[in-house]
Amino acid sequence: MTQQTLDHAAAAPAVASGKLSLGRSRVRAAWIFLAPMLLVLLLVAGWPLARTIYFGFTDADLSDIANYEFIGFANYLEYDDGEWYGLLVDPDWWNAVRNTLVFAFISVSLETALGLIIALALNASFPGRSILRAAVLIPWAIPTVVSAKMWGWMLHDQFGVLNDMLMGLGILSQPVAWTADPQLAMAAVIMVDVWKTTPFMALLILAGLQMLPSDCYEAARVDGVHPVKVFFRITLPLIRPAIMVAVIFRLLDALRIFDLIYVLTSNSTDTMSMSVYARQQLVDFQAVGYGSAASTLLFMVIAVLTVVYIVGGKVNLGEGNR
Amino acid sequence: MRRLALKGAFALLLVAIVLFAVFPFYYAIVSSFKTGSELFRVDYFPFSWNWSNYAAVFEQQPFARNIANSVAVAAAVVALSLFLGLTGAYALGRVKFRGRGILLLTILGVSMFPQVAVLSGMFEMIRFFGLYNNLVGLILANMILTLPFTVWVLTTFMRELPVELEEAALVDGASPWVIVTQVFMPLMWPAMVTTGLLAFIAAWNEFLFALTFTLTNDQRTVPVAIALITGASEKELPWGNIMAASIIVTVPIIVLVLIFQRKIVSGLTAGAVKG
């Protein structure tokens, strides 16, 4: 509707060229403005992705990336001499898939629960609230590599402060090797990720909380409804959309995790994620073809989830309101 | 009485939240001032201000060069993203044309790309352009992280601006370029500061591309340099140096974030951008 008024207003000085051609020249200008951005996106996203998918069907090698042969689906699955080969029967790949799913599910659940608590606390009014809000942003601001190193030191098996604290509290009787113990390494990774990304969760949920209408709460207060009931009957249903958006974003982010795991536990199989696995194949083992196949599978998983989210979540693209 | 207990519990919760958020950073500061065998003892409070770790960080590797690299890459990425984002956002936010919705969806889709999915294709391209072990290659690669959300957030802001402004300029016969630079840009500054900061932080923190596309110490950015600090043997990491380096690169970011915290929060929630 606003578009129409704009065209009417613009029609006055443009009598000679006429309204139609003005609209057309506007669209042409729009494409000229879009071109550089689209070109860069095509160069850094479209083309490399297409090449990665293609490499997945070849036997390319990192040391000589220009020479390769097309080998079909052999990187994914191949039957040769009575045995199956390829990514889909590689136990290390499935181990990475399992690790990634375990990591994503547990860390995002914990972050949502803690983020909700922090958001509710930040939504209350108390002296020093802005200090608290600033403090909560600190973990988010620290580079992932740096937080992995900071925690790597805190989790140190001999001199780590976490062992010292837990032993001081009597929870541990002797120091544990957080990042080296196969039973604990994943827990350590999840702990650091929860610390790092809960603020993001809390801030998104807080934004949702601050948009809630106050009249429901006044009505509930007048009727003397118990606060716990108010939370579960009013607050939670109303902020569910905000929480869902935050959860999806975090989930997609968690599924592609690389930095934290690579720096905290390097290429250990106990914590290896799909991204770490793909990079290890690509760079450390120089198997560009095989690594690209793994990258493609990870991309497919995330693409399917993204489409489900965009279709299911009915993301507002602004087509309707302007 | 019950009220008081509740208040106490709430205060306790707040203290717990602050400790949870700040302690690792605080402990890194304490550790960064400890040398030698002092590191093998757990201390909760700083007892000396020994700056030797900080000096060692710069002596034992080209850390100043690494910082300069990171600043250069991040600044170039911010400038490029803002320019391309602003022009793109004008087209996507102000002009109605066929295929706009699909374009916006595609751009949102690109922000979900796992970095590793473009790694081999990007490696080949960077080799092709002769940009391996070169900061220009890193700038190019980082655009995939920053451009989608810059376009997305700027489009959202651009859409909110009143239509009368543009009408007035059109009546005066202004070209689209003049409209973007003279009419919209002055109004877009808050949004550009927000998205610029988020892009700067994303480029400053980027690790996978920087690790894969650089080879020598003097081309590395800060995250890679910190990740690769090693001691005499694998078992003896120089934790004091690592903590000092971590503090050096984190303090500027934290200061930025604290100064612009309102803008950052609004930017994060406006685009629901990835953390």
Side-chain angles (χ1 to χ4, degrees):
Chain A
M1 200 197 83
T2 36
Q3 192 65 47
Q4 260 176 357
T5 53
L6 181 64
D7 284 348
H8 277 302
V15 181
S17 51
K19 187 182 149 201
L20 195 70
S21 76
L22 188 86
R24 219 180 265 160
S25 78
R26 237 174 103 76
V27 171
R28 197 179 314 130
W31 280 106
I32 294 171
F33 272 79
L34 272 175
M37 186 267 286
L38 291 179
L39 212 70
V40 170
L41 267 190
L42 217 61
L43 191 69
V44 299
W47 175 252
L49 179 69
R51 287 302 287 173
T52 299
I53 294 173
Y54 179 73
F55 275 137
F57 296 110
T58 70
D59 62 353
D61 189 274
L62 195 70
S63 55
D64 186 13
I65 205 166
N67 270 322
Y68 49 82
E69 263 174 59
F70 190 80
I71 54 167
F73 282 91
N75 283 327
Y76 294 94
L77 198 60
E78 187 188 29
Y79 188 75
D80 185 37
D81 214 17
E83 276 214 68
W84 290 98
Y85 295 97
L87 205 51
L88 293 176
V89 288
D90 183 345
D92 286 345
W93 164 253
W94 288 111
N95 174 51
V97 172
R98 209 198 55 222
N99 281 342
T100 311
L101 292 180
V102 166
F103 166 79
F105 182 74
I106 298 182
S107 64
V108 174
S109 309
L110 286 173
E111 285 154 19
T112 312
L114 286 174
L116 190 59
I117 293 172
I118 295 178
L120 285 169
L122 280 171
N123 199 34
S125 57
F126 52 88
R129 188 175 137 191
S130 57
I131 297 173
L132 191 71
R133 195 198 292 251
V136 161
L137 263 175
I138 287 179
W140 176 83
I142 293 178
T144 312
V145 170
V146 170
S147 39
K149 283 293 182 193
M150 283 178 180
W151 278 87
W153 172 232
M154 285 171 59
L155 297 173
H156 196 278
D157 50 353
Q158 287 167 293
F159 320 117
V161 68
L162 198 75
N163 279 336
D164 186 75
M165 275 182 186
L166 292 178
M167 280 159 67
L169 291 172
I171 297 170
L172 287 182
S173 56
Q174 56 188 37
V176 295
W178 289 97
T179 53
D181 187 329
Q183 308 288 316
L184 291 170
M186 185 50 91
V189 168
I190 290 172
M191 183 161 37
V192 181
D193 192 70
V194 166
W195 174 77
K196 170 110 182 78
T197 44
T198 298
F200 173 73
M201 214 62 165
L203 291 173
L204 285 191
I205 298 175
L206 180 64
L209 279 176
Q210 287 174 337
M211 281 190 285
L212 294 187
S214 58
D215 45 356
C216 304
Y217 289 95
E218 265 159 45
R221 200 168 46 91
V222 170
D223 292 347
V225 183
H226 193 269
V228 174
K229 205 171 171 187
V230 170
F231 173 76
F232 282 106
R233 290 290 169 80
I234 302 177
T235 311
L236 210 53
L238 281 175
I239 56 164
R240 226 192 54 171
I243 295 180
M244 282 315 290
V245 169
V247 165
I248 299 287
F249 268 88
R250 272 302 307 145
L251 207 57
L252 291 173
D253 221 30
L255 287 174
R256 57 189 171 185
I257 181 158
F258 174 79
D259 307 17
L260 174 60
I261 290 179
Y262 183 81
V263 177
L264 197 63
T265 58
S266 72
N267 283 336
S268 145
T269 48
D270 305 321
T271 53
M272 181 174 287
S273 71
M274 288 191 262
S275 285
V276 177
Y277 175 88
R279 188 193 177 273
Q280 188 188 33
Q281 295 292 338
L282 274 170
V283 181
D284 299 346
F285 302 159
Q286 313 250 314
V288 171
Y290 197 73
S292 296
S295 308
T296 306
L297 277 187
L298 170 62
F299 173 76
M300 295 296 177
V301 170
I302 290 181
V304 167
L305 281 173
T306 308
V307 169
V308 167
Y309 157 61
I310 288 178
V311 172
K314 292 194 191 76
V315 178
N316 179 19
L317 292 170
E319 278 295 73
N321 53 24
R322 186 174 284 272
Chain B
M1 196 55 208
R2 208 169 139 247
R3 250 188 118 83
L4 208 68
L6 267 176
K7 262 198 168 155
F10 186 65
L12 219 62
L13 174 71
L14 296 180
V15 171
I17 292 174
V18 172
L19 276 181
F20 169 70
V22 177
F23 182 78
F25 184 60
Y26 166 80
Y27 190 69
I29 297 179
V30 172
S31 304
S32 73
F33 288 107
K34 301 208 289 190
T35 53
S37 61
E38 291 165 8
L39 278 163
F40 305 149
R41 195 176 65 217
V42 174
D43 289 291
Y44 291 91
F45 299 99
F47 54 90
S48 70
W49 300 103
N50 185 340
W51 292 86
S52 62
N53 287 331
Y54 288 84
V57 168
F58 288 96
E59 280 158 16
Q60 288 165 15
Q61 64 253 331
F63 201 63
R65 179 69 198 262
N66 298 143
I67 293 176
N69 288 345
S70 271
V71 170
V73 169
V77 165
V78 169
L80 261 175
S81 306
L82 282 183
F83 173 74
L84 296 172
L86 194 68
T87 49
Y90 167 73
L92 290 166
R94 307 300 298 194
V95 184
K96 199 181 174 95
F97 56 88
R98 202 186 289 262
R100 187 172 70 162
I102 297 288
L103 257 180
L104 272 168
L105 262 182
T106 312
I107 292 167
L108 182 70
V110 171
S111 71
M112 309 290 180
F113 273 29
Q115 267 177 288
V116 78
V118 295
L119 199 66
S120 51
M122 193 89 87
F123 186 82
E124 187 201 30
M125 187 171 73
I126 280 179
R127 271 277 181 82
F128 176 78
F129 288 134
L131 294 174
Y132 182 65
N133 199 28
N134 187 319
L135 295 181
V136 179
L138 278 190
I139 294 168
L140 194 67
N142 276 335
M143 293 306 287
I144 193 182
L145 300 177
T146 56
L147 196 53
F149 81 75
T150 312
V151 173
W152 187 258
V153 176
L154 289 181
T155 302
T156 318
F157 275 92
M158 193 76 103
R159 214 178 257 154
E160 305 298 322
L161 296 177
V163 73
E164 288 77 14
L165 280 167
E166 207 178 345
E167 281 173 16
L170 272 173
V171 168
D172 292 342
S175 69
W177 176 251
V178 172
I179 293 177
V180 171
T181 52
Q182 311 279 314
V183 180
F184 285 138
M185 214 155 97
L187 295 167
M188 293 289 287
W189 273 119
M192 287 174 71
V193 170
T194 306
T195 44
L197 267 169
L198 293 177
F200 189 89
I201 292 173
W204 183 265
N205 295 354
E206 199 285 321
F207 178 65
L208 178 55
F209 291 151
L211 178 72
T212 313
F213 301 149
T214 58
L215 187 66
T216 53
N217 252 334
D218 60 342
Q219 293 296 314
R220 283 186 181 132
T221 56
V222 155
V224 184
I226 290 180
L228 297 182
I229 290 179
T230 46
S233 77
E234 186 119 354
K235 287 265 173 262
E236 308 166 51
L237 284 178
W239 285 105
N241 291 7
I242 294 176
M243 290 302 120
S246 300
I247 299 303
I248 294 168
V249 302
T250 308
V251 164
I253 295 287
I254 288 188
V255 170
L256 270 182
V257 166
L258 294 187
I259 292 174
F260 292 102
Q261 55 161 308
R262 284 200 178 277
K263 285 204 177 306
I264 287 177
V265 171
S266 73
L268 280 177
T269 47
V273 176
K274 66 198 178 82

